[in-house]
Every structure is written in C-alpha cells, then in structure tokens.
C-alpha cells in the first residue's frame, strides 16, 4: 500500500503553515518552491488538499516520459524529466497536481541592459494550465512526501494543531481493526448475529 498524507478538517485552522513549510523545505533542496498542497476553505471548514498517492496512479499512466513513477511506497515525480505536457494535471481526479515555472539559477530575473531593449513584461496570469512565460519552463508540482528528508513530510512537522497525518499500511490496518471492534460494541450484550424477525402467523 502506498503511504499518503491526510488532513482532518475539524482540526485545521487554515493558517497556511503547511504550505509555507512545504515551499521552504523543497526550495532548500533545489526543487520547485511552489507548495505541494493547497489549503481549501468553505464557510465552516478548511483543510489542505494534496496528492493521494493513488495505487493505480492515473498521472503516472499518462506521463509520456515516465517522469512519474512509484518509489518507496509513494508516487514520485522527477522534475528534471518533466516536459510540461500537463497531462498529469488533467488526469489527476483530485486536482492535486499544478505547474510552476522553473527559473534557471544562474540567470537573474531582470537582465535589462543599456545595449538591448528592455525585456517584455510577463503576461497576466490566467491558470497554471494555460500560462506560458517566455524563457521559463513549467514543471509539474506534486506531493513527494518529502522523500529526501529523513524526518518525513514538512507539513506534518510544522502543523500547529496536528491536523495532518501520514497514513502507512500499519496505521491503516490498525484503524480498520478499531472500526471492526467498534462495530461489535454497538450491539446489545449477548447479540451475536442479526436474525430475520419471526413473521410467521400463529
């Protein structure tokens, strides 16, 4: 079973700390600074939405260059192989994959000189799927469970209300066992099976 991160909307306070820590952690390792999760809100609740690490991941199936593969019980993305075809984002049923423009490290953002015309202004942003900025390569962004960190996902470490949890195979089995035990406790004492009521006429 793939590991995945899940959030409890009853505990989430919508502070965006998980997004900030995710961004900083990946940037420190030379990866896209775009956060791998997005906090969504409605009138009553808030919770981060992130990759579900699907067992039969549709994003990996449609990737034409095998940039998305299953490794270490998770669906991992190799940013250097991504060709920005955006098929993974379209195939994801949860909207958990977005795209962020990758700026080469050694090229300054504003390289205007007196010997050349000024660089054109960036076009107005429309959508990660539609935006095209000249000179920048859009790369897929998805949760990788901070596989490069021995301490695990940064969002879990920094969540102030402990609303985010890493679900492993052992935790999933324990949860299922607890549910089965709880189901046994809802019946009255001595009742071991559900029998059809006696409807025979006397």
């Amino acid at each position: 079973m793939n590991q995945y991160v899940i959030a409890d909307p009853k505990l989430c306070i919508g502070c965006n700390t998980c997004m900030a820590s995710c961004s900083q952690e990946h940037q420190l390792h030379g990866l896209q600074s775009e956060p791998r999760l997005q906090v969504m809100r409605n009138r009553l609740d808030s919770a981060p939405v992130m990759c579900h690490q699907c067992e039969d991941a549709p994003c990996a199936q449609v990737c034409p260059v095998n940039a998305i593969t299953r490794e270490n019980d998770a669906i991992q993305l190799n940013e250097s192989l991504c060709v920005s075809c955006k098929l993974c984002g379209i195939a994801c049923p949860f909207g958990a994959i977005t795209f962020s423009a990758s700026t080469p490290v050694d090229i300054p953002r504003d390289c205007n000189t007196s010997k050349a015309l000024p660089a054109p202004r960036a076009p107005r942003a429309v959508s990660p799927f539609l935006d095209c900025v000249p000179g920048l390569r859009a790369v897929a962004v998805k949760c990788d469970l901070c596989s490069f960190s021995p301490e695990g996902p940064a969002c879990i470490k920094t969540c102030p209300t402990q609303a985010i949890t890493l679900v492993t195979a052992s935790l999933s089995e324990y949860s299922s066992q607890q549910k089965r035990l709880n189901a046994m406790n809802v019946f009255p004492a001595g009742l071991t099976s559900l029998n059809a009521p006696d409807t025979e006429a006397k």
Side-chain angles (χ1 to χ4, degrees):
M1 183 191 109
N2 287 344
Q3 302 181 65
Y4 60 97
V5 176
I6 194 170
D8 186 348
K10 295 179 181 177
L11 297 177
C12 178
I13 57 176
C15 64
N16 290 351
T17 302
C18 54
M19 292 177 60
S21 62
C22 178
S23 175
Q24 183 179 26
E25 188 80 9
H26 285 83
Q27 195 170 19
L28 288 173
H29 287 81
L31 300 170
Q32 293 276 23
S33 60
E34 187 77 12
R36 271 67 178 163
L37 67 172
Q38 295 291 327
V39 176
M40 305 300 293
R41 298 174 179 82
N42 61 21
R43 191 171 59 86
L44 299 175
D45 300 307
S46 63
V49 175
M50 71 245 359
C51 174
H52 288 226
Q53 309 294 338
C54 305
E55 295 291 332
D56 192 17
C59 58
Q61 293 182 36
V62 300
C63 181
V65 293
N66 294 324
I68 303 177
T69 56
R70 179 175 177 171
E71 298 177 25
N72 301 322
D73 297 327
I75 305 300
Q76 302 288 355
L77 165 70
N78 186 334
E79 290 187 3
S80 64
L81 296 179
C82 178
V83 294
S84 188
C85 67
K86 300 182 174 67
L87 289 176
C88 57
I90 296 171
C92 178
F94 303 103
I97 299 179
T98 187
F99 296 86
S100 177
S102 178
T103 307
V105 176
D106 295 328
I107 299 179
R109 289 185 179 274
D110 186 0
C111 54
N112 294 331
T113 71
S114 58
K115 298 181 180 180
L117 293 173
R121 301 181 72 180
R124 184 175 60 88
V126 178
S127 160
F129 287 89
L130 300 176
D131 292 345
C132 179
V133 181
L136 298 183
R137 183 172 70 96
V139 174
V141 176
K142 72 174 291 296
C143 176
D144 53 10
L145 299 178
C146 294
S147 56
F148 46 78
S149 173
E151 299 178 4
C155 56
I156 296 177
K157 294 184 296 183
T158 57
C159 180
T161 60
Q162 299 180 346
I164 306 175
T165 305
L166 177 65
V167 179
T168 60
S170 57
L171 180 60
S172 181
E173 176 58 32
Y174 174 77
S175 177
S176 297
Q177 183 180 13
Q178 289 301 115
K179 290 176 183 177
R180 290 192 290 269
L181 292 173
N182 290 339
M184 290 174 54
N185 293 334
V186 300
F187 297 116
L191 181 62
T192 57
S193 63
L194 295 177
N195 297 320
D198 186 5
T199 56
E200 294 182 4
K202 294 185 179 179

